[in-house]
Amino acid sequence: MLEIKNLHVSLEEEDKQILKGVDLTVEAGKVHAIMGPNGSGKSTLSYVLSGRDGYEVTDGEATLEGEDILEMEPEERAAAGLFLAFQYPVEIPGVSNNVFLRTALNAQRKARDEEEMSAGDFLKTIRAKSKSLKIDADMLKRPVNVGFSGGEKKRNEILQMAMLEPKMCILDETDSGLDVDAMKLVSEGVNALRDEGRGFLVITHYQRLLDHIKPDVVHIMADGRIVKTGGPELALEVENNGYADILAEVA
Amino acid sequence: MALPQVKQTATEERLNALTLPEGGWSAVARADALARVRAMGLPNARDEYWKFTRPQTLVQAYVPNAPVFETDEAPVFKDVDRLKIVFVDGVFDADASDDLSAVENVSITRLAEGGDIHWASALYGTLEARGQDPVDRPLAALNTAFATDGVLVHATGVVSRPISFIYLQNSDASDAILHHCVKVDAGCEVTILESGPAAARYNTCLETDIADNATLHHVRTQGRDHDRRAATANFARLGKESTFKSFTLTANGVLTRNETVIELTGDDAVAHVAGACIGDGDFHHDDTVFVTHDAVNCESRQVFKKVLRNGATGVFQGKILVKEGAQKTDGYQISQSLLLDEDSQFLAKPELEIYADDVACSHGSTSGAIDDEGLFYLRSRGVPEGAATDLLTLAFLAEAVEEIEDETLAEEIGGLIETWLMRRRG
Ligand SMILES: Nc1ncnc2c1ncn2[C@@H]1O[C@H](COP(=O)(O)OP(=O)(O)O)[C@@H](O)[C@H]1O
Ligand SMILES: [Mg+2]
């Protein structure tokens, strides 16, 4: 599904290398987790994959179902099936969630030469999907993320994911700022989307989220590289001993 | 005080090119206005009030050519059940207009109809003349003196359908001067709509006298005729507990100066004036607003939003004057621009002048670029850059559009902005 090879990334503004050769393959139907200390480059990886400005790929490649995504505009990557649940979801005053999502959904469909979803069908679908995430109709009418609590913002990210039905989902610290109940809602939302044809890359600092979203593979990232890969037990090791031991071991 | 020679010469040149219409009941007001024009002189680039906007092409006798704008766009307000009054190049078109007596609770006549006695004789030129103090508005006085036609609306009840002034342009060199008067009796209510390209150059004046407990809504669109030049002046006087809400959408037009002069003379009155404008390329748009609080516990709001690109210029001059004794005044003013590139500019001069101690007045002015974070967020969800920029632009203008109270009209304007943005994108 998603193949990243030898990815090197620097900041455009200053001469600073952040990713120093990342290799990673996420297969369809699998959940991969990336854990790692703050500042190791996890968010940078997610931003570079989704096409945010400010980064320069100096070496390596990334493909989605065999297609080079690094050459694509962000909207083309989205239409190709890539989705990033942001660590810090953005507030957009003046644009309601409904308008935002319908515009996005139909833009993607149009890009894929699919038929647009009618206003009626859209409302039906979003009502059904928002219900299980405990997002009410009133929230959907409000501007995107404006005045939302941390938990509401994260649930909103998952709702967008559920509506857009991407092939490859990247979740960047979706667990941060969530209480136990919200964590459950979000995890259930993600688990409901788990599917043979869909890949997940779950970035998290803590093991907690991985109790709910069981990963198939766990990677440890440090200083711009994947330094260790293993099964779910690797996450437990981090939980019990912290990153220090693992980092010392690979150093 | 004698006028500077240059100003006097320019003024006389323009006056010589105009003919004073047969006045009838308005003759006295016209003569007064002409005397005011001669005393003030027409504006030139050295006037403080025209610091940001060059008045030359609005003043000179020669009308710069403005090709008729061809479009297949549906007429603005077409789905609104309204009474249509059509002017082509400033000339009334009876065939295209509705029967002026078709709506109840209102009497509608035309300025050019003449006749001897008219209720409007007490209003025509009166608010314009009051509005000359403390700042000269010579183009409005010129309008009063030389207006060839206009609509005189007297609301004597709640008027169920909006009265819609529709302007059409047919000639590349037309020069239209129209003067409308609207009188809303105590407790009555009316909505005035204005739309369309009026002429290659036009000067319109709207005087609205809103009695106690009365309400006037005004929604206007100007655009997308590229080359026209416009100077408009709206004067509103508000009685006790009355309401005035005015909104203008402008897109394109090489030069637009919209002046709004509001006088709150009765306690507990509410006046809102708002504008949204979309400027692209050779575009200069000036909103000049003067609100005078001369009564207790009145509220005024000015909300102006401009989106500018490709070298477009936006101007906002807004003043709130709170007179002595106008306690409990609630005055608010915001002017903001969204600059889509570095070639465009926004010039703002917000002013407060307050002679009462128990008031709450605030004003703010900002200029900003499109929010990159928001743009990326939208694009990451699949919205192409152009459409994402439009969506953020719409959101930016929304605060002004929300000032329109009537939902149907607000939706109409929102839809129009969307269409115009999409057209621009091609
Ligand atoms: N736009 C940026 N400007 C400056 N520094 C950046 C930028 N993006 C990332 N960095 C730096 O890159 C490193 C990795 O950051 P990040 O990808 O956010 O790590 P993580 O998500 O693992 O905490 C940090 O040192 C951070 O300060
Ligand atoms: Mg991060």
Side-chain angles (χ1 to χ4, degrees), chain A residues 42-43 87 172-173:
Chain A
K42 306 183 297 294
S43 291
Q87 178 171 1
D172 190 3
E173 302 217 17

Side-chain angles (χ1 to χ4, degrees), chain B residues 168-419:
Chain B
L168 301 174
Q169 186 197 349
N170 225 342
S171 146
D172 290 2
S174 49
D175 193 17
I177 306 182
L178 293 174
H179 193 117
H180 311 296
C181 291
V182 179
K183 181 172 159 68
V184 194
D185 283 353
C188 301
E189 187 174 334
V190 68
T191 297
I192 302 290
L193 307 177
E194 293 184 88
S195 60
R201 178 173 73 184
Y202 62 88
N203 176 333
T204 60
C205 185
L206 170 66
E207 294 181 282
T208 54
D209 196 7
I210 308 161
D212 297 352
N213 286 300
T215 299
L216 182 106
H217 292 285
H218 173 237
V219 179
R220 167 170 71 165
T221 69
Q222 302 170 316
R224 299 189 299 138
D225 40 333
H226 302 298
D227 295 303
R228 60 115 172 103
R229 288 154 207 278
T232 75
N234 293 350
F235 299 90
R237 177 170 58 188
L238 282 84
K240 211 171 59 179
E241 290 172 39
S242 67
T243 303
F244 172 65
K245 292 195 177 173
S246 173
F247 172 88
T248 300
L249 171 66
T250 309
N252 292 12
V254 79
L255 178 60
T256 309
R257 163 89 161 203
N258 289 334
E259 294 192 17
T260 303
V261 182
I262 296 171
E263 207 184 342
L264 297 140
T265 60
D267 296 348
D268 306 300
V270 173
H272 292 188
V273 51
C277 97
I278 309 168
D280 197 347
D282 191 4
F283 169 96
H284 184 105
H285 182 93
D286 175 332
D287 281 302
T288 291
V289 180
F290 199 111
V291 178
T292 305
H293 282 261
D294 197 9
V296 173
N297 201 33
C298 292
E299 174 192 311
S300 72
R301 262 175 86 79
Q302 304 171 40
V303 179
F304 287 86
K305 299 262 192 166
K306 299 184 198 309
V307 180
L308 306 166
R309 67 155 51 165
N310 291 325
T313 300
V315 173
F316 176 78
Q317 304 190 97
K319 178 153 183 172
I320 304 173
L321 168 64
V322 181
K323 288 201 171 172
E324 210 175 317
Q327 304 296 7
K328 308 277 178 206
T329 285
D330 177 2
Y332 175 77
Q333 178 196 92
I334 182 97
S335 65
Q336 295 183 309
S337 75
L338 177 61
L339 303 177
L340 295 180
D341 54 45
E342 286 176 2
D343 300 332
S344 305
Q345 60 170 345
F346 178 56
L347 307 162
K349 189 179 173 202
E351 283 181 285
L352 292 177
E353 197 178 327
I354 302 175
Y355 298 101
D357 48 21
D358 185 14
V359 302
C361 283
S362 66
H363 66 86
S365 181
T366 64
S367 258
I370 206 105
D371 172 25
D372 283 337
E373 294 281 323
L375 190 64
F376 174 63
Y377 193 58
L378 279 160
R379 295 180 73 189
S380 80
R381 297 302 181 243
V383 185
E385 189 174 6
T389 305
D390 284 359
L391 204 54
L392 294 175
T393 302
L394 266 172
F396 169 78
L397 296 176
E399 203 191 324
V401 178
E402 279 161 15
E403 294 292 315
I404 304 171
E405 198 169 289
D406 184 276
E407 258 179 53
T408 315
L409 293 175
E411 270 171 36
E412 181 90 9
I413 294 294
L416 196 59
I417 295 176
E418 224 169 308
T419 313

Side-chain angles (χ1 to χ4, degrees), chain A residues 11 14 16 18 37-45 55 87 173:
Chain A
L11 289 178
E14 44 187 303
K16 183 178 171 189
I18 311 243
N38 276 331
S40 56
K42 306 183 297 294
S43 291
T44 300
L45 177 64
Y55 304 101
Q87 178 171 1
E173 302 217 17

Side-chain angles (χ1 to χ4, degrees), chain A residues 47 50-52 73-75 78 83-86 89-95 99-100 103-104 107-108 144-145 157 160 164, chain B residues 371-388 390-396 398-399 402 418 425:
Chain A
Y47 283 143
S50 48
R52 186 187 168 117
E73 298 293 338
E75 55 268 30
F83 181 92
L84 168 64
F86 283 54
V90 180
E91 298 184 2
I92 310 188
V95 180
V99 167
F100 171 73
T103 308
Q108 288 200 18
V144 178
N145 293 325
E157 293 292 292
Q160 292 171 29
L164 297 170
Chain B
D371 172 25
D372 283 337
E373 294 281 323
L375 190 64
F376 174 63
Y377 193 58
L378 279 160
R379 295 180 73 189
S380 80
R381 297 302 181 243
V383 185
E385 189 174 6
D390 284 359
L391 204 54
L392 294 175
T393 302
L394 266 172
F396 169 78
E399 203 191 324
E402 279 161 15
E418 224 169 308
R425 192 144 47 82

Side-chain angles (χ1 to χ4, degrees), chain A residues 73-126:
Chain A
E73 298 293 338
E75 55 268 30
E76 293 170 334
R77 302 179 197 205
L82 189 78
F83 181 92
L84 168 64
F86 283 54
Q87 178 171 1
Y88 305 107
V90 180
E91 298 184 2
I92 310 188
V95 180
S96 75
N97 279 293
N98 275 326
V99 167
F100 171 73
L101 257 174
R102 193 148 70 87
T103 308
L105 183 68
N106 281 332
Q108 288 200 18
R109 289 188 167 211
K110 203 168 152 213
R112 292 192 295 256
D113 284 324
E114 295 167 10
E115 208 177 310
E116 295 191 10
M117 193 184 257
S118 72
D121 285 348
F122 173 82
L123 277 180
K124 244 184 269 162
T125 315
I126 198 166

Side-chain angles (χ1 to χ4, degrees), chain B residues 84-149:
Chain B
K84 297 198 275 279
I85 306 174
V86 181
F87 294 91
V88 182
D89 293 316
V91 179
F92 178 65
D93 183 340
D95 292 339
S97 302
D98 290 331
D99 172 6
L100 299 193
S101 60
V103 182
E104 281 181 22
N105 294 332
V106 63
S107 108
I108 303 173
T109 47
R110 284 181 25 248
L111 177 60
E113 276 172 279
D116 267 341
I117 306 167
H118 199 286
W119 60 262
S121 60
L123 179 54
Y124 190 87
T126 306
L127 299 188
E128 174 263 300
R130 287 174 72 98
Q132 300 293 347
D133 183 37
V135 191
D136 290 352
R137 304 173 196 282
L139 289 173
L142 184 81
N143 181 301
T144 300
F146 292 97
T148 51
D149 206 347

